[in-house]
Amino acid sequence: MVSKPSFFSLVGAFVLLSLAGTPAESQGTRFLRQPSLSAEHVAFTHGADLWVVDRDGGLARRLTSTPAVESDPHISPDGRLVAVSTRGQSVTLIDVNQRRITGQFRGQGLGGALAFSPDSKTLASASGDGTVRLWNFATGQTALMLQHLGPANGVSFSNDGTMMATSGADATVRLWPAANLSEANVALP
């Protein structure tokens, strides 16, 4: 004969089941996004802000705390700067050690893919308006603009810095020799 579960065992099972999801939901740190690595740091987004932690571990430090949503962080190869997209409206450069904004780039359709050149002297951004921009760190202005026929959705530099590749919704991947990009190589402030 099979016995019916008692009222208290049903309530106990319900309580256990309802608590089962609580730890994961209450641990907001499970929602760390978009890590970027350098030799010394890991940058990531959490709660729409930018954070950085030493690669060896330790306490994470918040680099931004604004109403804007920061996404897609990229640490420069020298580990000095983090570039982050802000709601597709701007790209912000932040000094990792000083925890301060060192530059802000604004332009139509910003907020796509970001990449630093291997020497950390050039930042490229791919945008929904079809442009790939290389930025002058000193002025905050576009140093060079390249064009895809549709939205540009990717950008990357070769490890030796001699080429840059871009991709777009126009179903193309384009290679750009560094010699054509040299006018954008402006030293960091």
Side-chain angles (χ1 to χ4, degrees):
M1 181 166 152
V2 177
S3 64
K4 292 183 180 180
S6 72
F7 172 76
F8 292 108
S9 64
L10 286 174
V11 168
F14 176 77
V15 168
L16 285 175
L17 286 173
S18 65
L19 291 176
T22 301
E25 292 170 6
S26 66
Q27 294 177 5
T29 55
R30 291 188 184 262
F31 300 107
L32 307 177
R33 303 268 193 253
Q34 304 166 320
S36 179
L37 296 172
S38 74
E40 298 176 16
H41 301 100
V42 178
F44 58 92
T45 59
H46 170 65
D49 288 322
L50 177 65
W51 295 74
V52 69
V53 65
D54 290 342
R55 198 164 170 173
D56 298 339
L59 290 176
R61 298 172 291 161
R62 185 187 314 228
L63 296 181
T64 62
S65 181
T66 66
V69 176
E70 281 86 21
S71 63
D72 201 27
H74 288 275
I75 298 180
S76 60
D78 65 7
R80 185 174 155 213
L81 298 172
V82 177
V84 64
S85 174
T86 306
R87 284 196 192 191
Q89 298 171 357
S90 66
V91 174
T92 303
L93 279 181
I94 300 168
D95 184 295
V96 172
N97 295 320
Q98 296 179 7
R99 295 171 48 175
R100 67 177 181 85
I101 294 174
T102 61
Q104 187 125 31
F105 309 137
R106 299 184 187 281
Q108 180 179 350
L110 278 177
L114 302 172
F116 280 98
S117 61
D119 63 4
S120 300
K121 292 182 178 180
T122 303
L123 177 69
S125 64
S127 304
D129 65 357
T131 61
V132 175
R133 297 169 192 241
L134 283 76
W135 296 94
N136 180 315
F137 291 162
T139 66
Q141 301 298 312
T142 301
L144 183 66
M145 188 168 20
L146 310 168
Q147 188 72 45
H148 274 266
L149 297 177
N153 54 26
V155 61
S156 180
F157 286 91
S158 63
N159 289 339
D160 63 4
T162 61
M163 298 289 287
M164 183 178 75
T166 62
S167 62
D170 58 359
T172 63
V173 172
R174 297 183 181 185
L175 298 178
W176 308 89
N180 296 348
L181 309 175
S182 62
E183 64 190 77
N185 258 342
V186 178
L188 290 170

